[in-house]
Amino acid sequence: YNEILDENDSWVNPNPDAYLAVNSLAQTFVNTVRGLGGNNQYRNLVVNTYCASGASDMLNPFVIPNDLIPGHLMVEVHNYSPGSFTNILSEDQENSQITWTSDHEKELAAELDILIDYSNNNHIPLIVGEFGANEGIDDVEKGKYAEYMVTYCRQRANISLFYWSN
């Protein structure tokens, strides 16, 4: 499952019941896989927050599923921050910043620190299953962004990442 949204497809301020649904789905997923027997008993499982968001307001209501096998769950989030850099589209360049800057680094570091704290406080590995920048950004600038993201995550918390490209 991936980027689960409520009935209104809300990326922010979802229906509060949506959190309950995501938590229920995560627990059902873990119970189902573990109940299948064989190697499924020890398989590493990945669960997502609401809309796979790493924002505090999406992490806080997320309940890490109970698992009978300790140390085999991971939480996945997606991160496309800072939006003023990553979300540029080729037809919308005049209104967006297309150069990777130290301000972008500060904004991204603050968001990544939230993820690192969440992982540490909950004693659960975290992966960034998607991060990337849209095609309107020069490859050199995307490279600077990706290098910063990977270096920060690997040095600060050993978080694994997957670049999601257009």
Side-chain angles (χ1 to χ4, degrees):
Y1 55 93
N2 182 44
E3 295 180 347
I4 299 167
L5 301 175
D6 66 9
E7 67 276 5
N8 299 316
D9 292 332
S10 301
W11 289 92
V12 295
N13 301 320
N15 177 332
D17 290 340
Y19 298 120
L20 299 173
V22 168
N23 292 336
S24 177
L25 179 60
Q27 188 63 62
T28 299
F29 167 69
V30 170
N31 294 347
T32 301
V33 173
R34 295 293 182 240
L36 293 173
N39 290 333
N40 293 308
Q41 184 177 358
Y42 300 103
R43 192 174 302 279
N44 292 325
L45 302 178
V46 180
V47 292
N48 288 351
T49 61
Y50 178 83
C51 74
S53 175
S56 292
D57 58 344
M58 302 296 181
L59 285 171
N60 292 337
F62 183 69
V63 177
I64 297 168
N66 292 318
D67 191 5
L68 299 175
I69 309 301
H72 287 273
L73 283 181
M74 293 178 273
V75 173
E76 177 190 355
V77 298
H78 300 168
N79 185 294
Y80 290 99
S81 293
S84 60
F85 177 82
T86 62
N87 289 331
I88 182 177
L89 297 175
S90 55
E91 64 271 5
D92 191 31
Q93 288 183 3
E94 73 263 5
N95 295 324
S96 300
Q97 298 174 357
I98 57 172
T99 301
W100 183 248
T101 68
S102 61
D103 286 342
H104 291 131
E105 290 179 358
K106 290 175 191 169
E107 184 179 342
L108 182 54
E111 289 196 24
L112 294 175
D113 285 343
I114 290 168
L115 298 178
I116 292 165
D117 289 345
Y118 180 86
S119 177
N120 291 336
N121 292 339
N122 290 285
H123 310 288
I124 190 161
L126 190 133
I127 59 175
V128 177
E130 289 183 20
F131 82 102
N134 284 323
E135 61 194 35
I137 299 169
D138 179 76
D139 286 343
V140 171
E141 297 303 315
K142 283 195 274 191
K144 292 175 188 176
Y145 153 72
E147 180 179 16
Y148 182 84
M149 180 82 160
V150 170
T151 301
Y152 196 92
C153 286
R154 300 298 290 171
Q155 289 180 345
R156 299 285 314 273
N158 199 27
I159 292 175
S160 296
L161 305 106
F162 296 88
Y163 192 87
W164 189 259
S165 175
N166 289 340

